[in-house]
Amino acid sequence: MKNSSSSLEHITNLSASDCSLPLAHGFGLMAANSVGALVGTFGNFLVCIAVLYTSPRLRRCSNYLLVSLAIADLIVTMVCEPLVVGIVAKKTFFNDCASNMELAYVVSSNFSCSASIMHLAAISVDRFLAVIFPLRHATVFASLRVPFLKETAYMVLVIFAISYFLVIGCYLSITISVCLIAKRKKQKRKGGTSPVVASTNAERRLAFTLAIVIGVFTTCWFPMIVVFFAAGKSLVKMYGTAYMWIRTLALLNSAMNFLIYSARIRDFRDAYALICRKILRCG
């Protein structure tokens, strides 16, 4: 995720020494990206199948946004990470900069990163509406339309910044609301749990689950943002070993979301188990 014009300049001006990687790091990078590509592709397809075909309980507006995020992650696991494996292999074994593959990676990674952060922003707005306005959530959400913007290299950072601040704002509001609701519940805790309260609790649990997704996203992408943008210039050697590991960490985020869903949401666990049983039965 970086400016494409500066990337093209670096790619075309690389020397032979810039086009090599130590053997140990090369094997490590290829292994990490290969595992991320395989696990992430399988896991993101599981999310799509679970919501769209497996469990009626998962067919809700909020989870369709998760499907959309999974599709954005599939661009990373099926396109970006295999490209990185090829780039690393050429650098490690042939001292080849793999310029054409780098150009393909820049285009696909800019697109997928922008799509992912926009989806996280949309999911955050949905959780904000569900927790703050639970009774009107369905009506309000039905009137929303998430725009699909034509991506350009110079818009990537702007989209990322705006969307990320929107995410943080929504979750700060959710946190404050949850604390106030918890305080009111302590004061009124006398009878059983009403359906409305149960539904609100479920919405809050999903909100916290998606907060974990956003926290993991931040952890994976924060080193790249700091190294490439905080100082106005790259703090590591472009296309060097540290650069490749930072890039790999950001890409591995796309293989993590389905694990978070399975750890936090029982309906997803049950759906994954059903899908896996059917796959094994067919095998």
Side-chain angles (χ1 to χ4, degrees):
M1 187 193 123
K2 54 194 178 55
N3 185 288
S4 285
S5 59
S6 62
S7 299
L8 301 184
E9 275 181 43
H10 281 289
I11 292 170
T12 54
N13 294 325
L14 289 174
S15 63
S17 61
D18 295 319
C19 297
S20 63
L21 285 171
L23 196 61
H25 285 284
F27 277 119
L29 286 163
M30 285 189 288
N33 282 281
S34 296
V35 171
L38 292 172
V39 173
T41 298
F42 178 71
N44 286 307
F45 271 121
L46 275 183
V47 172
C48 296
I49 295 169
V51 174
L52 298 177
Y53 301 108
T54 304
S55 174
R57 294 181 62 179
L58 290 174
R59 290 186 203 126
R60 48 193 297 185
C61 291
S62 304
N63 290 337
Y64 287 128
L65 286 173
L66 299 185
V67 170
S68 193
L69 177 60
I71 293 170
D73 285 337
L74 281 171
I75 299 173
V76 175
T77 61
M78 297 180 70
V79 179
C80 296
E81 288 185 303
L83 281 172
V84 171
V85 172
I87 291 166
V88 170
K90 285 200 167 191
K91 285 175 177 285
T92 302
F93 301 117
F94 305 106
N95 292 338
D96 183 345
C97 290
S99 300
N100 291 334
M101 296 177 77
E102 280 286 0
L103 292 178
Y105 169 81
V106 168
V107 173
S108 58
S109 64
N110 281 349
F111 178 85
S112 61
C113 175
S114 298
S116 294
I117 190 62
M118 288 173 68
H119 281 98
L120 286 175
I123 290 167
S124 300
V125 171
D126 170 64
R127 291 299 87 211
F128 171 80
L129 294 172
V131 173
I132 307 299
F133 306 107
L135 299 179
R136 288 186 289 165
H137 169 245
T139 304
V140 174
F141 188 79
S143 66
L144 291 177
R145 294 292 182 270
V146 180
F148 182 81
L149 302 178
K150 183 179 179 181
E151 305 298 332
T152 63
Y154 290 102
M155 289 175 64
V156 172
L157 185 58
V158 175
I159 291 171
F160 187 97
I162 293 173
S163 299
Y164 195 77
F165 282 122
L166 179 61
V167 168
I168 297 301
C170 286
Y171 271 90
L172 282 175
S173 300
I174 288 170
T175 302
I176 293 170
S177 175
V178 167
C179 290
L180 292 174
I181 291 171
K183 192 176 290 185
R184 284 199 294 268
K185 280 177 65 180
K186 283 182 181 177
Q187 295 171 352
K188 297 181 179 179
R189 191 171 289 164
K190 288 182 179 179
T193 304
S194 69
V196 173
V197 172
S199 176
T200 303
N201 289 340
E203 294 291 0
R204 287 206 301 270
R205 181 171 178 79
L206 182 56
F208 282 126
T209 299
L210 296 172
I212 294 171
V213 170
I214 292 164
V216 172
F217 177 89
T218 302
T219 302
C220 291
W221 281 92
F222 187 72
M224 178 168 276
I225 300 301
V226 170
V227 167
F228 297 127
F229 295 108
K233 61 179 182 179
S234 178
L235 300 179
V236 299
K237 180 182 176 183
M238 293 295 290
Y239 302 101
T241 302
Y243 170 93
M244 298 301 291
W245 277 112
I246 291 170
R247 186 158 75 174
T248 294
L249 176 63
L251 295 177
L252 287 175
N253 173 249
S254 295
M256 298 177 183
N257 289 341
F258 85 99
L259 297 173
I260 298 171
Y261 304 154
S262 64
R264 293 275 304 172
I265 304 173
R266 180 168 184 172
D267 286 342
F268 271 104
R269 282 200 301 275
D270 294 342
Y272 292 167
L274 178 61
I275 295 167
C276 290
R277 283 198 298 270
K278 287 184 177 180
I279 292 172
L280 292 173
R281 201 173 298 144
C282 290

